[in-house]
């Protein structure tokens, strides 16, 4: 869904959502951010994957709910006693809220991982640190190469039964050997690679630029502005709501309040964008 | 005006041995061999008195066997890669002097050289710098500090020219060797060079990818007018496009296939035979089926992951003892997978592999570097002495048999590809295996080294060992194999004695004439 937008849009949106979700320990905000996280996961990873994340999110909420009273024996409404410890309703409710918050943050992060591939992250931070991006790109290239080579070397060792290791010590030495073969081979490659880099002008004195695969379009700017505006409006409202709400000794009473609306709007951004995309697709056919 | 002018160029590497050649970078491997083998040349000079000139727009090949100094000469033409050593003569590139009377001069700035002289090396994987194809294409342009719009245009153009749009976003590691080499060429061409230098660019590729690469190179030369200077040990692939040849050493002449008797008789082994090689009569070309096979695969099914497609489906094969069995087939048809399955590295998900010699086998990898770990050739051969129970005397003998005498104190990485392969095989043979698995044994070897390898493989079979090999090289399979199997769609399309197999194929046939057959004939000629 964020594919048609600049990576900065996805990053700004997800970073704002994760930040607010982590800060707002208040029942209404927790419910909203859990719902928003699941909706976003539906859109970015598909309904199936989102449903599967419920399979671990709900037990997580239940676990934190049950465990919290064992650690914090505060509150005023006693519902049962375990030995000498009292279990209070407020404590259970606090556990449910913090469990929900944790689950919401984790679900947000699954969306983040789906949207911000290594390439997108690099495109985004490349302007800040171009040298770093080149280095990361090279490392990302080397890791799979080392892994596949390691497998090849191990295969040759395993297959050489005529020279099979006698006992544990030789076996351990053979495994160490894999590492030293990899190192030697890698260094040899490094010489070739540094030649290939110099041959194409690396360090020729010119100031390096970095190729940007993504351009910022008007639509990107518009969505980005919306997201940032919503985030800016929400920040004081969240602080206010959380400051007024107390779990202990008794739960504050929740009231209907207009201040929740901007947060609901922020949560609805992916769904709205998805709906717009669906509508455009249908009307263009 | 000539774009490359070389006058009386001579070159010698500073000293010998590991320390010196290590500084030379990748040229070390090639050059080391030159220093050791140029007794016929003026002493100490890797190249002596080379003169030639290349006109703008030409397609020039530098022809010579491995280690004749091709790499050194090419690198000397590109200032930032020029090898360190003693030089004589003059060199002018793009009309600018880079060498005057043996002294390097800065006729070209680093930036000009990067822009105008492209350089493609042999190893497709090692010269790729970035993780994705588009970033690799952009790398050179980024180095020159080019603006966004111009970069986009250049990348779009080369991607279109080479037809690599479908893989633009792919990770470079996932590409095949042929695709990687095309990306390397494209990345260099994005800089719009006037001169393209290529050092054995197709040596590591399979025959299909070789043809495709040469074809693209010819298009670059003809349609874009880029001057091409390519070093190669197999000039016949580029024959239709070449406008100029510079010979730097002896290359075996083309030989007729009909002139080679197959399978090769062992008496023709060019290396001096040793006491450890019992001279049994050569195996008959159609081996009688003995009671116990050396290896039996029954209805093997294999795939790498539960959601992946089957690589092998119900494959069965029987390998007779003391024979050479070759498996051929297209790219990615599962040849290497089958080899690993037979060697017990992978286990079939269904079916069986029966291998009576499972405890006395070795696997020779595609790249011998996967096997080489020590600092010298001698240490390499001695590594398994304790666990296999051979003696220093055996090591000396095997050294002589494989023509590695005098190289004992060299670093394995300073040997040529053919020598590395001989060393790896020598090391494996010291373990006295009954069953040998060879993965692409001729990859990257020149015709003479291929002929040596063919004789070695036949000698192994003559000693009663069983050799199972997979290869793209049909000439090689034709010359060494007793039986050949064609792998297709996860099964064996057919398994037949070599002669019948090749006689009945229309496409899967060895060349009628090739340098490999020429080299084999030359070996035969040398024998009394």
């Amino acid at each position: 869904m964020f594919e048609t937008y600049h990576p900065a849009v996805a990053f700004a949106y997800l970073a704002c959502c994760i930040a607010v979700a982590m800060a707002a320990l208040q029942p209404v905000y927790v419910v909203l951010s859990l719902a928003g996280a699941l909706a976003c996961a539906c859109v970015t990873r598909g309904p199936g994957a989102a449903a599967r994340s419920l399979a671990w999110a709900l037990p997580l909420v239940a676990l934190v709910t049950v465990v919290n009273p064992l650690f914090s024996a505060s509150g005023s409404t006693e519902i049962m006693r375990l030995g000498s410890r009292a279990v209070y309703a407020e404590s259970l409710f606090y556990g449910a809220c913090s469990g929900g918050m944790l689950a919401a943050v984790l679900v947000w992060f699954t969306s983040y991982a789906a949207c911000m591939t290594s390439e997108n992250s690099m495109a985004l931070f490349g302007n800040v640190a171009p040298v770093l991006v080149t280095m990361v790109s090279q490392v990302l290239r080397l890791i799979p190469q080392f892994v596949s080579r390691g497998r090849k070397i191990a295969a040759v060792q395993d297959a050489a039964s005529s020279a099979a290791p006698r006992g544990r010590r030789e076996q351990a030495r053979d495994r160490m050997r894999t590492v030293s073969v990899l190192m030697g081979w890698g260094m040899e490659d490094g010489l070739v690679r540094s030649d290939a880099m110099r041959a194409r002008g690396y360090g020729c004195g010119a100031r390096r630029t970095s190729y940007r695969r993504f351009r910022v379009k008007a639509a990107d700017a518009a969505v980005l502005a919306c997201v940032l505006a919503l985030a800016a409006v929400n920040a004081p409202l969240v602080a206010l709501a959380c400051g007024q709400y107390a779990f202990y000794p008794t739960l504050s009473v929740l009231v209907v309040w207009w201040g929740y609306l901007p947060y609901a709007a922020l949560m609805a951004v992916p769904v709205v964008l998805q709906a717009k995309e669906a509508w455009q697709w249908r009307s263009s056919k | 005006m000539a774009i490359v002018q070389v006058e009386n160029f001579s070159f010698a590497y500073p000293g010998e041995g590991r320390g010196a050649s290590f500084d030379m970078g990748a040229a070390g491997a090639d050059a080391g061999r030159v220093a050791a083998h140029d007794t016929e040349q003026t002493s100490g000079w890797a190249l002596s008195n080379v003169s030639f000139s290349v006109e703008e727009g030409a397609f020039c090949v530098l022809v010579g066997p491995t280690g004749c100094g091709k790499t050194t000469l090419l690198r000397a033409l590109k200032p930032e890669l020029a090898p360190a050593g003693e030089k004589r003569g003059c060199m002018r590139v793009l009309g600018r002097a880079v060498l005057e009377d043996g002294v390097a001069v800065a006729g070209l700035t680093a930036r000009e050289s990067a822009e105008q002289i492209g350089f493609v090396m042999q190893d497709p994987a090692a010269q790729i710098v970035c993780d994705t194809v588009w970033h690799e294409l952009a790398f050179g342009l980024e180095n020159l500090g080019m603006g966004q719009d111009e970069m986009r245009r250049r990348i779009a153009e080369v991607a279109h020219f080479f037809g690599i749009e479908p893989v633009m976003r792919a990770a470079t590691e996932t590409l095949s060797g042929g695709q990687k080499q095309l990306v390397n060429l494209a990345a260099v061409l994005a800089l719009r060079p006037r001169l393209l230098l290529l050092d054995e660019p197709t040596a590591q590729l399979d025959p299909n990818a070789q043809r495709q690469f040469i074809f693209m190179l010819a298009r670059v030369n003809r349609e874009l007018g880029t001057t091409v200077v390519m070093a190669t040990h197999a000039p016949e692939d580029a024959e239709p496009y070449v406008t100029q040849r510079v010979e730097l050493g002896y290359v075996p002449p083309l030989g007729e296939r009909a002139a080679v008797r197959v399978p090769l008789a062992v008496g023709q082994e060019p290396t001096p035979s040793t006491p450890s090689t019992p001279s049994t009569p050569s195996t008959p070309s159609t081996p009688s089926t003995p009671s116990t096979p050396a290896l039996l695969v029954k209805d093997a099914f294999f795939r790498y992951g539960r959601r992946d497609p089957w690589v092998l489906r119900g494959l069965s094969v029987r390998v007779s003892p003391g024979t050479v069995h070759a498996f051929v087939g297209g790219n990615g048809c599962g040849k290497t997978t089958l080899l690993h399955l037979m060697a017990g590295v992978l286990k079939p998900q269904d079916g069986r592999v029966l291998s009576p010699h499972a405890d006395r086998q070795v696997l020779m990898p595609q790249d011998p570097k996967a096997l080489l770990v020590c600092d010298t050739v001698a240490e390499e051969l001695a590594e398994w002495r304790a666990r296999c129970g051979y003696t220093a005397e055996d090591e000396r003998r095997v050294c002589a048999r494989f023509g590695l005498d005098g190289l004992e104190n060299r670093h394995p990485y300073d040997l040529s590809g053919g020598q590395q392969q001989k060393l790896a095989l020598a090391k494996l043979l010291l373990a006295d295996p009954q069953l040998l698995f060879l993965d692409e044994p001729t990859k990257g070897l020149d015709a003479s080294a291929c002929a040596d390898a063919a004789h070695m493989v036949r000698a192994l079979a003559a000693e009663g060992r069983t050799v199972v090999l997979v290869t793209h090289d049909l000439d090689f399979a034709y010359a060494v194999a007793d039986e050949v199997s064609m792998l297709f769609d996860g099964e064996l399309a057919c398994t037949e004695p070599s002669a019948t197999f090749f006689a009945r194929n229309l496409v899967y046939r060895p060349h009628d004439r090739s340098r490999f057959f020429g080299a084999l004939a030359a070996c035969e000629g040398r024998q009394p």
Side-chain angles (χ1 to χ4, degrees):
Chain A
M1 181 266 322
F2 286 116
E3 284 153 20
T4 53
Y5 295 94
H6 192 277
V9 176
F11 178 77
Y13 177 72
L14 292 166
C16 287
C17 289
I18 289 169
V20 177
M22 284 199 283
L25 186 54
Q26 197 260 16
V28 178
Y29 278 107
V30 168
V31 169
L32 280 175
S33 64
L34 193 54
L38 287 169
C40 185
C42 271
V43 171
T44 56
R45 299 166 58 224
R52 276 195 294 281
S53 57
L54 271 184
W56 53 260
L58 291 181
L60 182 74
V61 175
L63 182 74
V64 179
T65 310
V66 173
V67 166
N68 187 57
L70 303 181
F71 291 98
S72 101
S74 11
S76 52
T77 322
E78 185 179 323
I79 45 174
M80 62 186 282
R81 274 193 170 268
L82 287 174
S84 60
R85 291 183 74 92
V87 175
Y88 296 99
E90 286 81 9
S91 184
L92 272 179
F93 189 68
Y94 183 88
C97 282
S98 47
M101 182 177 97
L102 187 61
V105 171
L106 291 176
V107 174
W108 277 120
F109 268 111
T110 63
S111 293
Y112 184 90
C115 292
M116 298 302 288
T117 56
S118 66
E119 197 175 307
N120 283 1
S121 313
M122 296 227 312
L124 197 55
F125 303 113
N127 305 338
V128 187
V131 179
L132 191 72
V133 169
T134 315
M135 270 170 54
V136 170
S137 173
Q138 291 187 34
V139 171
L140 282 176
R141 142 126 191 79
L142 287 181
I143 291 169
Q145 195 183 30
F146 263 59
V147 170
S148 74
R149 270 194 191 159
R151 286 215 186 95
K152 273 182 208 157
I153 297 167
V156 171
Q157 281 180 2
D158 292 347
S161 56
S162 273
R166 303 163 305 168
R168 289 255 170 91
R169 257 187 73 195
E170 287 193 345
Q171 206 169 357
R173 220 175 54 201
D174 274 10
R175 287 304 154 199
M176 284 305 293
R177 233 183 66 121
T178 308
V179 178
S180 64
V181 174
L182 263 181
M183 298 285 283
W185 201 347
M187 269 153 66
E188 187 77 1
D189 267 10
L191 295 175
V192 177
R193 193 167 294 116
S194 71
D195 280 344
M197 288 169 72
R198 268 185 301 141
R200 281 186 280 157
Y202 190 78
C204 71
R207 199 182 130 80
R208 276 193 108 239
T209 47
S210 67
Y211 179 74
R212 283 195 286 276
R213 263 197 50 212
F214 304 95
R215 298 187 204 224
V216 181
K217 305 178 293 293
D220 296 325
V223 177
L224 194 61
C226 281
V227 166
L228 292 179
L230 279 173
V233 171
N234 271 305
L237 293 174
V238 168
L240 189 68
C242 291
Q244 285 184 347
Y245 189 83
F247 287 91
Y248 303 117
T250 50
L251 298 172
S252 309
V253 181
L254 293 166
V255 291
V256 178
W257 182 44
W258 63 268
Y260 298 131
L261 287 178
Y263 193 64
L266 183 65
M267 294 296 101
V269 166
V271 179
V272 170
L273 291 178
Q274 175 80 354
K276 172 175 156 276
E277 196 263 350
W279 177 76
Q280 280 175 331
W281 176 254
R282 206 166 296 165
S283 60
S284 67
K285 270 205 294 192
Chain B
M1 190 190 63
I3 194 164
V4 174
Q5 272 177 299
V6 178
E7 285 164 24
N8 298 319
F9 178 67
S10 299
F11 182 86
Y13 277 104
E16 247 210 40
R18 176 71 184 159
S21 48
F22 194 77
D23 295 336
M24 296 177 259
D30 217 354
R33 159 135 179 185
V34 173
H37 283 258
D38 65 350
T39 37
E40 56 281 314
Q41 290 182 30
T42 343
S43 64
W45 293 102
L47 286 162
S48 65
N49 284 324
V50 178
S51 298
F52 68 97
S53 72
V54 180
E55 292 300 318
E56 179 123 40
F59 191 128
C60 169
V61 284
L62 302 179
V63 187
T66 312
C68 71
K70 301 188 296 286
T71 302
T72 312
L73 180 56
L74 274 186
R75 294 172 75 96
L77 292 173
K78 179 136 171 105
E80 62 267 44
L81 299 183
E86 197 185 337
K87 297 166 197 165
R88 293 196 188 147
C90 297
M91 273 186 169
R92 292 175 73 80
V93 183
L94 304 166
R96 317 271 192 89
V98 293
L99 188 72
E100 268 171 9
D101 294 326
V103 182
V105 290
L108 282 161
T109 63
R111 192 194 164 97
E112 285 170 331
S113 169
E115 272 183 309
Q116 305 200 9
I117 310 175
F119 200 98
V120 177
M121 291 176 261
Q122 177 171 352
D123 190 334
Q127 52 185 318
I128 289 184
V129 178
C130 298
D131 63 333
T132 53
V133 172
W134 68 261
H135 202 173
E136 184 65 20
L137 296 186
F139 179 75
L141 307 175
E142 291 179 338
N143 289 337
L144 299 178
M146 195 170 280
Q148 292 295 325
D149 292 336
E150 184 61 16
M151 275 203 265
R152 267 168 216 283
R153 170 203 300 270
R154 299 250 186 130
I155 290 173
E157 277 196 333
V158 289
H160 173 69
F161 187 83
F162 285 96
I164 49 180
E165 290 115 319
V167 295
M168 275 303 280
R169 282 153 196 251
T172 45
E173 188 59 26
T174 60
L175 304 181
S176 70
Q179 284 175 316
K180 280 182 188 154
Q181 200 63 310
L182 279 182
V183 167
N184 286 324
L185 183 58
V188 164
L189 277 180
L191 294 162
R192 299 193 178 164
R194 278 171 64 199
L195 172 64
L196 202 49
L197 306 173
L198 304 103
D199 182 19
E200 299 272 13
T202 59
Q204 303 288 330
L205 309 183
D206 66 76
N208 269 327
Q210 280 178 3
R211 276 193 289 276
Q212 202 194 351
F213 185 88
I214 294 291
F215 176 73
M216 286 314 299
L217 192 59
R219 273 191 66 198
V220 169
N221 173 245
R222 291 185 180 179
E223 296 178 21
L224 309 181
T226 311
T227 313
V228 173
V229 179
M230 176 172 82
T232 179
H233 60 66
E236 53 272 19
D237 292 337
E239 210 77 74
Y241 316 110
V242 167
T243 59
Q244 185 185 0
R245 265 173 81 117
V246 178
E247 305 233 353
L248 286 174
Y250 170 77
V251 179
L254 287 174
E256 298 286 337
R257 170 161 54 105
V260 175
R261 280 183 300 130
V262 291
L264 305 172
V266 191
Q268 296 160 6
E269 196 195 347
T271 47
S273 64
T274 57
S276 76
T277 318
S279 50
T280 44
S282 67
T283 19
S285 59
T286 45
S288 53
T289 316
S291 49
T292 49
L295 186 68
L296 189 68
V297 180
K298 268 188 91 67
D299 305 322
F301 279 82
F302 183 83
R303 58 182 167 185
Y304 281 95
R306 282 187 70 185
R307 285 166 202 279
D308 293 341
W310 291 104
V311 183
L312 304 175
R313 36 186 131 213
L315 183 143
S316 302
V317 71
R318 174 193 184 94
V319 178
S320 310
T323 62
V324 178
H325 197 125
F327 290 86
V328 300
N331 247 344
C333 71
K335 294 196 297 291
T336 297
T337 305
L338 174 62
L339 200 70
H340 283 182
L341 207 70
M342 292 192 289
V345 178
L346 301 172
K347 302 273 175 266
Q349 274 105 34
D350 196 12
R352 284 177 302 150
V353 176
L354 292 177
S355 177
H357 298 305
D359 54 344
R360 290 194 67 192
Q361 63 169 34
V362 290
L363 168 66
M364 169 92 171
Q366 236 178 63
D367 195 328
K369 286 184 189 132
L371 195 66
L372 305 177
V373 68
C374 302
D375 286 335
T376 65
V377 169
E379 283 175 38
E380 204 68 70
L381 292 175
E383 201 206 346
W384 291 336
R385 195 187 283 174
R387 64 171 78 163
C388 301
Y390 52 82
T391 62
E393 180 53 35
D394 292 325
E395 288 161 29
R396 267 194 296 282
R397 206 161 48 210
V398 92
C399 233
R401 177 176 172 189
F402 285 95
L404 296 168
D405 318 87
L407 301 174
E408 287 90 345
N409 293 322
R410 286 187 175 256
H411 193 282
Y413 281 1
D414 285 345
L415 303 180
S416 72
Q419 287 170 329
Q420 274 182 4
Q421 204 203 22
K422 283 180 182 170
L423 172 61
L425 195 54
K427 184 177 178 179
L428 292 175
L429 272 187
L430 280 169
D432 193 23
Q434 281 305 302
L435 180 57
L436 290 99
F437 297 100
L438 312 180
D439 194 354
E440 295 285 359
T442 58
K443 193 174 184 182
L445 302 189
D446 62 17
S448 314
C450 278
D452 284 356
H455 285 291
M456 284 188 306
V457 168
R458 279 319 310 178
L460 294 175
E463 290 168 22
R465 306 180 206 270
T466 309
V467 181
V468 176
L469 60 94
V470 302
T471 186
H472 274 118
D473 187 341
L474 298 181
D475 292 0
F476 185 76
Y478 172 81
V480 303
D482 295 303
E483 282 198 284
V484 186
S485 299
M486 178 154 54
L487 193 56
F488 176 71
D489 196 26
E491 292 177 70
L492 291 186
C494 57
T495 299
E496 282 171 335
S498 172
T500 330
F501 177 84
F502 287 113
R504 291 173 61 185
N505 283 349
L506 177 67
V507 178
Y508 262 87
R509 290 165 66 97
H511 294 104
D512 289 331
R513 308 174 74 223
S514 76
R515 272 171 224 284
F516 170 62
F517 293 132
L520 283 178
C523 291
E524 224 162 303
R526 256 185 271 148
Q527 298 294 317

